[in-house]
Amino acid sequence: NGLLMDSDLNLLDFDGGKKDLDYKIIKAIGDPNIRFKEDALRILRAFYFVSKLGFEIEEETLNSIKENRFSIYEIAFERVLNEITKLLNEKHQIKALKYILDCQVDEVLPGLSDGIKYLVKNDLALKTDRFFCLAFTLNGSVPNYWRFSNKYLNYYQKVVELANLTTKISSFELYNYGINISSMANHINLLLNRTTQTQDEVNELYKKMPIKSVLDLAITAEEIIKIKNKKAGAWLKKVQDKLIAEIISGQLENKYESIIVYLNNMEV
């Protein structure tokens, strides 16, 4: 309520806000320590406004942010995530991330510090998913603090796992992780200068794969059970996995007749 407008469109400025806007300054109204203790989310909103507007944060406000940064832990995860997401989608993202580092707020954003430092150092702006994937890859895991939906949590965990597992995507990774996770993991490793493999190369490799799912096998589970004359059990998946590995590696054709011969010579 620092700036108001009455019914006659007269601007009511009680705290010098118009001047701050003219000079492109972000400043807490009154005592910033009181403002941030009232609602610590205002700390993250200051960074969001930097990202959106490209403004500077006033020195007293900046010092108070640093002093009160640990109060961010008291904010619900969802509110923190919302502000971070908004910040990442504005054009002055790097400037905002620099402020986060200057105020040491990265210390209270679990798993994001190394990612923020990397982006600032390399002047590299990333949108939400790529940002989290890169940050968590550098961190080595997705901290429990970030209670994403199961869909996003699984996605980020798998990308981090794969990006740190290999720097070259093969047909086996494409089969086990799928094209979306494999593509993101490769993209992250490209950003981190860990690989020279291009997205076009990954796409072409996926396109040429003889099999992309167990459903693509030229023989069904029921047919395998009948051929091996055994009851269904854990052995069946092992046989399917072996067939898939042989087919992906090019050692076996995904043809019914070829698989039959292979199965007849396989001990289970």
Side-chain angles (χ1 to χ4, degrees), residues 27-60:
K27 179 180 178 182
I29 295 177
D31 185 338
N33 289 313
I34 294 175
R35 297 290 84 79
F36 296 137
K37 283 181 170 60
E38 287 174 344
D39 185 0
L41 194 68
R42 289 169 176 158
I43 291 174
L44 297 179
R45 287 209 180 111
F47 299 134
Y48 163 66
F49 288 132
V50 170
S51 186
K52 182 179 178 64
L53 304 170
F55 287 11
E56 305 292 332
I57 300 178
E58 180 261 345
E59 186 174 1
E60 186 180 0

Side-chain angles (χ1 to χ4, degrees), residues 59-70:
E59 186 174 1
E60 186 180 0
T61 301
L62 200 61
N63 291 334
S64 181
I65 286 175
K66 184 175 181 179
E67 183 179 335
N68 291 281
R69 66 190 184 279
F70 291 103

